[in-house]
Amino acid sequence: MSGGDFGLEVLGCNATAPSASGPASGYVLHSELGAILVDAGPGTMAAYAARYELERVRAIVVTHMHADHSLDLMAWAYRWTFPAARERIPLYLPRGAEQALRGFDELYGIPTLPGMHRPIEQSFRVTTLEMDGDTRHELPGWTMISFEARHAVPSAALRFERAGRAVAFSSDTGDCPGVRAAAAGSDLFVCEATWIDEPDADSAGHGHLTAAQAGRIALEVGTRSLLVTHLADRSASAEALRLAAEQFGGPVRIATAGMRL
Ligand SMILES: [Zn+2]
């Protein structure tokens, strides 16, 4: 992808952990102004660094602090502070993430290296996402709005707008008003479908969707195209695609590592 293009690239989309099918969750929004990373799951930094200059990153947004979406923040912090410190990267996180970040620094800070006493603190300029569906953050190349998703921990559905186009991310979530508002009328909706088709899958209230629910939400909120991601069982991709498409009726794809749209 050349510097002038804009669009979405999947670094990884596994719901479990890095595996043969690639890293855990991580996406890049490209524009001529650089790259915005959405999620930093394990393996995504290596995937990014294999393809692009690290300096192209303008901001990192983490939807929620589960490890499969956030663990590579520490990898970024080490790379960002060693061997030489760089200008801090804007980092957007849901409420409650500060404690996890402090924990990272307490565990992995290196007291004998001045640039790495607290690698996270020294790498990032942190902003807490409002998740109010209203506040607009101007990021290089994109305007970002965050919404309250429904998950076991604070979780932000995201909407990025640029030149009259919108890309939405569900984060990990059950069906809820926030994810629907984020995706409403979007050109591309990146929606989790952790489960394939289990009617009681979310009965414990953890907050995940099935492929059929992803398709139904996309239809009901009028999104133009659907990218189904975060499958717990990738061997069931064809079935997930069928179930989502059956509900949605519009263009649907299953995310794979390295995919560009
Ligand atoms: Zn999660």
Side-chain angles (χ1 to χ4, degrees), residues 104-174:
F104 265 151
D105 271 348
E106 278 158 23
L107 272 175
Y108 295 116
I110 303 180
T112 45
L113 289 174
M116 298 181 79
H117 288 163
R118 301 190 68 78
I120 293 277
E121 202 178 294
Q122 288 166 295
S123 297
F124 301 115
R125 248 185 310 119
V126 176
T127 301
T128 300
L129 294 166
E130 291 79 3
M131 295 158 66
D132 59 2
D134 187 39
T135 306
R136 302 171 76 82
H137 293 280
E138 299 303 330
L139 274 54
W142 302 85
T143 298
M144 177 181 70
I145 308 165
S146 60
F147 300 77
E148 185 87 41
R150 185 174 68 74
H151 197 45
V153 295
S155 179
L158 301 170
R159 181 184 182 93
F160 291 86
E161 297 178 350
R162 175 195 164 85
R165 313 286 295 274
V167 180
F169 294 84
S170 66
S171 182
D172 282 11
T173 189

Side-chain angles (χ1 to χ4, degrees), residues 31-84:
S31 81
E32 76 285 1
L33 297 178
I36 308 293
L37 301 192
V38 176
D39 281 337
T44 56
M45 190 212 169
Y48 182 87
R51 290 171 224 168
Y52 304 105
E53 292 294 322
L54 296 184
E55 285 73 13
R56 253 186 80 72
V57 173
R58 294 287 177 269
I60 301 178
V61 188
V62 171
T63 58
H64 67 292
M65 290 305 286
H66 280 160
D68 59 317
H69 297 254
S70 67
L71 206 55
D72 264 12
L73 285 178
M74 198 68 231
W76 276 100
Y78 264 44
R79 188 66 187 82
W80 215 248
T81 50
F82 189 85

